[in-house]
Amino acid sequence: MRRTTGVRVGLSALLVLGALTGAGAALSPAAAAPGPEPAAPSAKLVSALGRDLGLTAGQARERLGQEAAAMKLAPKAERAAGKAFGGSWFDADTGRLVVGVTNDERAAAVRATGATARIVRHTAKELDAVKARLDEKAGKKAAPAGVSGWHVDPKAGDVVISVRRGSERDAAVRAFVGEAKGQAKRAGSVPVRVERAAAQAPATFAAGTVGGDPYYTGNVRCSIGFSVQGGFVTAGHCGRAGASVNGWDGSYVGNFRGSSFPGNDYAYVSVGSGWWTVPVVLGWGTVPDALVRGSAVAPVGASICRSGSTTHWHCGTVLAKNETVNYSQGAVYQMTKTNVCAEPGDSGGSFISGDQAQGVTSGGWGNCGSGGETWFQPVNEILSVYGLRLHTA
């Protein structure tokens, strides 16, 4: 954060004033794994989860501990499943990581790690291949506007196409779904399921300029995602490579060094001119500011929270991974879907699970008054693409 004579609290999703100027340890993308055991959750975090997930304080504390254990176990369990791996998810009812496998031998190996094994018909590779064909099709010709997106559901063992309510009978939508089902059948009878989505189309969450918010590029306001060595990561739709970035006080922060949208929705911004980075996600007074200790991936079904400059701190659960989102500007791939709300100006902000960075806010539908769904671009992909090192505590 740029040094100033005044004090400003809760400025952005990452850069803060004051004593947090010591550099934390850096984490390379290849070593993106849990650090020390997470600290006991604060009373305010427990309260926020209770508000957004309908949990008692005891249930929230127990779930956070279970999810931290599941994130730590997931890579080991996937290795145990080997080529029979059919995906994984967190089961909130049992508090355990569940791993799909296609044969009994690998199921026994998964159970030996401490995870629950479930026999499934198709491997994750087979399911992902069907989704990849849809991605390829959308890359050549835009998907119909009535299709919100598509993703693999490992729990159900199928590929899901989300169709906007009221668009089910559109000729273009029916043709898209029919072709997808035909491709899936030829690929080994992988099931394709149509899911009714909100009537509202997904859209990015950038906003026009208003005073007192984290960063601006041109007349667009967005939120900072996570500190990396030399800058921060955020959403690609917030600015093109080379664009100048100003902070909450109007002073120059740095420039977009890389940006990709659509196709992807991520960007890297350099930081200089008296500003610095810290491994912090702001809690905006709802919860204490969160230290970032790594980027282990939260499984489907796990709770997750988001920090942004418009609606501040909200929580929900991970609904799907590797989803393709069909924005009006074009498809964006490999997104994670959540039921966390967001609003314009929250774009680029932090998604975090416990003390593990998850991704940067891209877009969605709805708002924090009536609810909605929000997608984020996973942070580990951004670190890998730009060769960045996550700033960790």
Side-chain angles (χ1 to χ4, degrees):
M1 175 56 66
R2 181 175 179 272
R3 296 183 182 275
T4 65
T5 55
V7 176
R8 178 178 173 83
V9 180
L11 304 175
S12 72
L14 245 185
L15 302 182
V16 297
L17 283 170
L20 291 173
T21 58
L27 185 72
S28 68
E37 290 298 318
S42 69
K44 286 187 175 180
L45 175 57
V46 169
S47 176
L49 283 174
R51 175 198 67 189
D52 292 336
L53 298 184
L55 303 175
T56 66
Q59 288 170 334
R61 290 190 184 93
E62 181 180 32
R63 178 159 176 169
L64 286 167
Q66 293 168 339
E67 290 173 349
M71 281 189 278
K72 189 173 182 179
L73 179 60
K76 182 179 179 181
E78 181 174 347
R79 288 193 298 271
K83 293 181 179 180
F85 179 66
S88 63
W89 59 94
F90 177 76
D91 186 341
D93 292 332
T94 64
R96 295 170 63 87
L97 178 73
V98 182
V99 178
V101 287
T102 56
N103 63 64
D104 291 332
E105 180 183 355
R106 290 296 92 196
V110 167
R111 293 188 190 101
T113 69
T116 298
R118 179 179 295 177
I119 299 297
V120 296
R121 182 178 178 185
H122 296 283
T123 65
K125 185 177 181 180
E126 290 170 336
L127 296 171
D128 288 341
V130 172
K131 179 189 173 292
R133 291 187 182 93
L134 293 178
D135 290 345
E136 184 179 5
K137 174 179 171 62
K140 295 177 180 178
K141 180 181 179 181
V147 175
S148 291
W150 49 94
H151 67 272
V152 167
D153 182 349
K155 190 173 181 179
D158 58 16
V159 175
V160 181
I161 298 177
S162 298
V163 174
R164 291 169 54 193
R165 189 174 287 107
S167 300
E168 297 90 343
R169 296 185 178 277
D170 288 359
V173 170
R174 294 173 68 179
F176 183 89
V177 171
E179 186 173 344
K181 289 184 175 181
Q183 290 176 340
K185 187 175 182 179
R186 292 190 294 273
S189 298
V190 171
V192 172
R193 170 167 51 96
V194 175
E195 175 183 79
R196 180 181 290 182
Q200 184 177 350
T204 56
F205 283 129
T209 299
V210 296
D213 281 297
Y215 86 87
Y216 305 87
T217 176
N219 66 342
V220 172
R221 170 170 61 85
C222 282
S223 300
I224 295 166
F226 293 97
S227 280
V228 295
Q229 298 304 305
F232 63 84
V233 293
T234 186
H237 69 263
C238 292
R240 298 289 186 183
S244 177
V245 173
N246 295 322
W248 63 270
D249 60 354
S251 66
Y252 172 73
V253 174
N255 292 81
F256 279 82
R257 296 300 181 189
S259 179
S260 179
F261 179 80
N264 305 292
D265 195 4
Y266 51 62
Y268 163 52
V269 176
S270 63
V271 168
S273 302
W275 294 72
W276 64 83
T277 63
V278 289
V280 170
V281 172
L282 286 183
W284 297 97
T286 301
V287 300
D289 296 346
L291 289 175
V292 177
R293 299 187 185 276
S295 55
V297 180
V300 170
S303 65
I304 194 167
C305 297
R306 180 194 55 73
S307 180
S309 62
T310 299
T311 58
H312 299 173
W313 187 276
H314 287 273
C315 302
T317 56
V318 178
L319 300 180
K321 293 184 180 181
N322 193 23
E323 177 154 12
T324 298
V325 181
N326 191 32
Y327 292 132
S328 61
Q329 300 95 326
V332 176
Y333 310 106
Q334 297 179 319
M335 302 271 269
T336 298
K337 181 181 182 179
T338 76
N339 59 7
V340 185
C341 68
E343 295 179 12
D346 288 327
S347 277
S350 323
F351 266 92
I352 188 167
S353 184
D355 56 11
Q356 301 294 305
Q358 299 299 310
V360 300
T361 304
S362 173
W365 62 269
N367 56 58
C368 289
S370 59
E373 293 176 337
T374 302
W375 288 265
F376 67 81
Q377 185 88 67
V379 70
N380 286 334
E381 179 184 0
I382 310 173
L383 299 177
S384 177
V385 167
Y386 293 123
L388 302 172
R389 288 154 57 91
L390 185 67
H391 194 167
T392 60

